[in-house]
Amino acid sequence: MKKLAIISTHPIQYYAPWFRYVTLNKNLSLRVFYLWNFGITPKVDVGFKQVIQWDIPLLDGYEYEFVPNVSTNPGVHHLLGLQNPSLVSQMKAYNPDAVLLMCYNYASIYNFLANWNSREIPLLFRGDSHRLLKPTGIKAWARRQFITQVYRRFAACLYVGKANYEYFQYHGVPSNRLFFSPHAIDNYRFFAQADDAQQQAMLWKQELGIPSDHAVILFAGKFENKKRPLDLLQAFLAANLSQVSLLFVGAGSLEADLKAVATSHKNIYFAPFQNQTLMPRTYAIADLLVLPSYGASETWGLAINEAMCLSRPVIASSHVGCAEDLIHHQHNGLVFSAGDVSALASSLQEAFSDRQRLQCWGQEGKKIVSQYSYTQATQGLEEALDYVISSITLNKRQVIDSIKAR
């Protein structure tokens, strides 16, 4: 049995079910080392601008340790938000066969990388960054050199999709050290709740005052610039769709701006932040999910996975990391050029030009997302572990043979 340590910033609603799934694997022994306790205790979320505590179990079913964080301003929104002096000693005490990092751009991780003997116990990295918006200039060049040096510390990298694969290659990671471990959610939870969610959504639609004969376009997430909810609002108004309403679910810094525009128009609705147990209902109310993000920050877009599990068609911008993997144009959704409001308006018109086709897109999406599950993610993890552990073993044998030959 391989003994794996995972370093993660904090308990995350998408990762905890995966860790439980991996624990069921008879070939792996797993322990997760958390650098912060956000998500299990009430804390202010910077993006949502409100106190958040997830309402699904995040620590059940797998081994974990919290590594004390001494940062005076703890969080994942800045470099010094994670400072964990005892990380190396706690990791050595566990003595794993390999260590998987889910992040690196924090003071604590840089200290760990500088002080960990990766020739004895190899390091893996699972990331989701992309270069769909390609920066230029001296700063971009310097950043590329720096990141390339960071990735040289890892014996293998797990990539979550096509754009992420290209990102790793751009930073010098050879293809033989790249293993596919796709971004996934707890598909089974969403599949199992689909029927109940549909019934709940019908009642919720009445409570929100959305006409029963209206189709619903859904935006679910943080109301912030990088998510571009204002682009969607403007595109919806420009599209001038008949018997279609727009629903914003979430919170954030742009909420007042969105509501200010919406007050002078009809068929635009708002609902507050919905916790995890209510997310199946949130997607079930929709006839179409739209994720119009701009920039490099939408590294994947797991809302797309969630909506597709509820058989919902999707529209995403070209800067959404999962677009190339999960959205098959004109089969389960559409992709538009990021930041182009008129292109988004045209996509909305195209989607609702054939309501029956739109439903078929949703069914096709469920088939596609079924192949992006914890099973596939774990398979890639196992392949990477086999590779790095066998490489370490081979290197040790070569050293021993070399000594004997003398």
Side-chain angles (χ1 to χ4, degrees):
M1 179 179 287
K2 303 177 188 71
K3 192 176 181 183
L4 175 67
I6 297 179
I7 298 176
S8 184
T9 54
H10 60 287
I12 295 173
Q13 68 273 27
Y14 301 114
Y15 291 165
W18 183 39
F19 298 154
R20 285 195 290 272
Y21 181 91
V22 173
T23 299
L24 299 175
N25 189 317
K26 295 180 181 180
N27 297 321
L28 290 175
S29 175
L30 170 74
R31 182 176 296 176
V32 182
F33 291 77
Y34 286 121
L35 308 183
W36 187 36
N37 64 351
F38 180 85
I40 59 170
T41 58
K43 284 184 171 59
V44 174
D45 183 282
V46 174
F48 281 119
K49 303 296 183 184
Q50 66 183 64
V51 174
I52 298 293
Q53 181 179 6
W54 301 119
D55 64 354
I56 59 173
L58 298 181
L59 299 176
D60 294 353
Y62 64 93
E63 288 188 30
Y64 65 90
E65 289 183 26
F66 280 98
V67 185
N69 183 14
V70 301
S71 174
T72 56
N73 181 22
V76 294
H77 57 290
H78 66 116
L79 178 69
L80 300 178
L82 301 177
Q83 298 182 52
N84 311 81
S86 64
L87 177 58
V88 173
S89 61
Q90 287 184 236
M91 193 65 64
K92 287 181 177 179
Y94 181 58
N95 192 30
D97 294 309
V99 181
L100 169 64
L101 282 78
M102 309 289 280
C103 59
Y104 73 82
N105 198 26
Y106 298 99
S108 185
I109 301 299
Y110 288 128
N111 179 70
F112 176 82
L113 292 174
N115 290 282
W116 187 257
N117 186 353
S118 58
R119 288 174 295 181
E120 288 291 327
I121 301 177
L123 301 176
L124 299 88
F125 180 72
R126 185 174 189 259
D128 58 6
S129 297
H130 61 66
R131 297 187 66 253
L132 296 174
L133 178 62
K134 295 176 174 58
T136 58
I138 188 65
K139 287 185 177 180
W141 177 87
R143 179 174 174 80
R144 180 183 185 183
Q145 306 312 308
F146 174 75
I147 294 174
T148 297
Q149 292 302 315
V150 171
Y151 285 158
R152 287 180 177 173
R153 296 284 291 153
F154 299 101
C157 293
L158 307 176
Y159 67 95
V160 299
K162 295 175 182 177
N164 183 220
Y165 179 90
E166 293 169 1
Y167 179 88
F168 280 128
Q169 290 242 293
Y170 177 77
H171 291 98
V173 183
S175 57
N176 69 312
R177 293 200 288 118
L178 287 169
F179 298 86
F180 182 46
S181 179
H183 254 325
I185 64 162
D186 190 353
N187 287 359
Y188 176 78
R189 179 169 77 91
F190 280 80
F191 291 159
Q193 296 181 22
D195 291 339
D196 287 342
Q198 192 64 46
Q199 296 299 317
Q200 296 167 11
M202 292 174 63
L203 296 174
W204 192 36
K205 191 174 183 179
Q206 294 176 4
E207 293 171 7
L208 293 171
I210 300 174
S212 59
D213 60 344
H214 273 213
V216 175
I217 298 170
L218 173 67
F219 175 97
K222 297 173 181 177
F223 301 161
E224 55 188 1
N225 284 321
K226 61 187 179 183
K227 296 284 188 179
R228 294 293 183 109
L230 282 166
D231 282 9
L232 175 56
L233 179 52
Q234 293 166 5
F236 173 74
L237 296 175
N240 193 29
L241 302 168
S242 175
Q243 292 185 301
V244 179
S245 290
L246 174 61
L247 173 61
F248 288 100
V249 177
S253 58
L254 293 179
E255 185 168 355
D257 293 338
L258 287 165
K259 289 183 175 178
V261 176
T263 53
S264 57
H265 301 279
K266 61 180 182 178
N267 300 329
I268 302 171
Y269 300 84
F270 292 85
F273 164 82
Q274 305 290 297
N275 217 317
Q276 286 299 294
T277 57
L278 291 174
M279 289 313 295
R281 181 192 72 167
T282 302
Y283 295 110
I285 201 174
D287 295 273
L288 175 70
L289 175 81
V290 180
L291 189 57
S293 305
Y294 188 95
S297 60
E298 196 68 81
T299 52
W300 182 259
L302 284 164
I304 298 289
N305 295 62
E306 292 176 328
M308 288 170 62
C309 280
L310 267 293
S311 302
R312 278 2 188 206
V314 291
I315 291 178
S317 82
S318 56
H319 288 175
V320 174
C322 72
E324 192 176 354
D325 300 86
L326 292 183
I327 303 178
H328 300 180
H329 196 74
Q330 293 281 1
H331 284 84
N332 70 305
L334 301 168
V335 178
F336 71 97
S337 180
D340 189 336
V341 173
S342 62
L344 176 52
S346 296
S347 294
L348 294 176
Q349 291 171 336
E350 172 66 18
F352 285 99
S353 65
D354 186 335
R355 302 291 178 95
Q356 186 174 0
R357 182 189 62 176
L358 193 61
Q359 290 183 346
C360 292
W361 285 2
Q363 295 300 320
E364 184 65 24
K366 184 177 181 181
K367 296 176 185 177
I368 294 169
V369 81
S370 296
Q371 301 304 311
Y372 286 73
S373 71
Y374 293 148
T375 300
Q376 284 79 22
T378 305
Q379 181 179 340
L381 173 60
E382 286 191 275
E383 291 172 355
L385 279 171
D386 287 341
Y387 171 78
V388 300
I389 292 174
S390 63
S391 296
I392 289 288
T393 302
L394 178 61
N395 289 339
K396 287 180 178 178
R397 286 175 182 168
Q398 290 174 340
V399 169
I400 292 172
D401 291 343
S402 176
I403 293 173
K404 287 180 177 179
R406 295 173 188 171

